[in-house]
Amino acid sequence: MRLPFIAGNWKMNKTVPEAIVYAKQFRRIVEDVTDVEIVVAPPSLAVHAVAEALRSSNVGVAAQDLYWAREGAFTGEISAPMIREAGAEYVIVGHSERRTYFAETNASVNLKTCAALAADLTPIVCIGEKLDEREHGETFAVLDLQIRTALEGLAPEQVGALVIAYEPVWAIGTGHHATADQATEAHRHIRRRLREQFGAEAAERCHIVYGGSVKPANIRDLLAAEEVDGALVGGASLEVESFAEVVARSRPATV
Ligand code: 13P
């Protein structure tokens, strides 16, 4: 059975001291939650401090990006082994903001996903269509290309351990979340493709989570949608109370 997976992507928010205060408060509020897999993704400068503040807790830590080489002359970049050593267990790969503003491609997402897996990090691989692609009926074609390229060369066991975040670009930061039907349609399609390409077991184990304007007010409806295994939360993860509320409302007994 797939436990709900709820991750907070802080994007470029919070200084190290702010991140530590958040982590210490948050771990206390969610300490009894054993039926949700919880992750926070601070900016990379705060990954180590947040991992320390969350040590021996039920909250994991993700970095928001990585570079695929292990080390070398790549000014400004950080590698998967560095992230792992800093205390994170997850890394977000291919977020649409990286694709839009920093020229991330499906091919680079593949290199990063492979590098993360090689360093024993769980990649949270982001895919999703833009508004004009949806309006032109290209949603499934876009998802197909993203899945096929980003996961190329992965073994079924590796795909089974992944988190795939379906984040329709038009829903990110806009207040317009996908409806439960739209989420189900996309997630069902993604799982079908995983089944075709990597087999039934990998497709069953893989978490497919939804992202885009998730809030305490809509998390229950989204999680009740078929094939939605959790959420990648942006704005609503920035305050301890609202993110803790998203987690509380994701507990299986409450959905
Ligand atoms: P919002 O929840 O702010 O729409 O952001 C979603 C997102 O991009 C998470 O990665």
Side-chain angles (χ1 to χ4, degrees):
M1 215 203 71
R2 299 183 296 266
L3 275 190
F5 177 95
I6 303 292
N9 175 9
W10 297 354
K11 308 191 180 182
M12 197 173 72
N13 292 288
K14 297 191 192 299
T15 61
V16 174
E18 287 166 351
I20 294 171
V21 169
Y22 180 116
K24 288 183 173 166
Q25 284 178 358
F26 184 67
R27 72 175 285 167
R28 276 201 304 276
I29 301 180
V30 300
E31 68 184 354
D32 294 332
V33 179
T34 53
D35 46 5
V36 178
E37 202 174 333
I38 312 167
V39 172
V40 291
S44 51
L45 272 181
V47 162
H48 181 62
V50 169
E52 287 296 311
L54 294 173
R55 189 188 280 273
S56 307
S57 78
N58 53 340
V59 184
V61 178
Q64 297 177 11
D65 187 30
L66 76 161
Y67 189 65
W68 54 82
R70 287 183 61 84
E71 60 187 5
F74 302 102
T75 301
E77 296 297 322
I78 55 172
S79 72
M82 290 173 184
I83 292 168
R84 190 77 183 94
E85 198 272 337
E89 296 147 309
Y90 303 84
V91 60
I92 298 172
V93 182
H95 192 280
S96 70
E97 287 149 15
R98 303 240 30 112
R99 294 177 189 257
T100 303
Y101 305 132
F102 304 101
E104 188 86 83
T105 63
N106 287 326
S108 61
V109 173
N110 178 248
L111 289 165
K112 291 181 176 189
T113 302
C114 293
L117 288 165
D120 202 22
L121 287 166
T122 299
I124 303 170
V125 180
C126 301
I127 59 175
E129 80 287 358
K130 301 192 185 93
L131 183 60
D132 64 314
E133 293 165 338
R134 172 164 284 265
E135 286 174 349
H136 287 95
E138 294 164 359
T139 298
F140 289 170
V142 169
L143 295 178
D144 285 351
L145 182 65
Q146 289 174 333
I147 296 167
R148 199 170 54 245
T149 322
L151 307 188
E152 194 178 332
L154 265 60
E157 316 78 82
Q158 293 177 313
V159 172
L162 284 184
V163 179
I164 294 183
Y166 169 62
E167 297 207 305
V169 179
W170 48 269
I172 296 177
T174 60
H176 301 295
H177 62 90
T179 63
D181 284 351
Q182 286 171 325
T184 294
E185 187 187 38
H187 285 225
R188 202 185 270 155
H189 181 82
I190 295 163
R191 202 171 311 275
R192 186 184 314 129
R193 288 289 182 256
L194 295 180
R195 200 176 298 120
E196 287 164 7
Q197 290 170 37
F198 300 98
E201 196 184 327
E204 276 315 300
R205 282 184 48 227
C206 180
H207 278 81
I208 306 175
V209 307
Y210 167 81
S213 299
V214 172
K215 305 203 162 19
N218 59 30
I219 184 68
R220 276 206 182 109
D221 285 349
L222 286 161
L223 277 185
E226 204 186 313
E227 301 291 359
V228 177
D229 300 326
L232 184 53
V233 186
S237 72
L238 291 177
E239 299 294 331
V240 168
E241 294 75 18
S242 64
F243 192 47
E245 193 56 32
V246 169
V247 169
R249 295 184 187 196
S250 302
R251 301 188 69 172
T254 72
V255 172

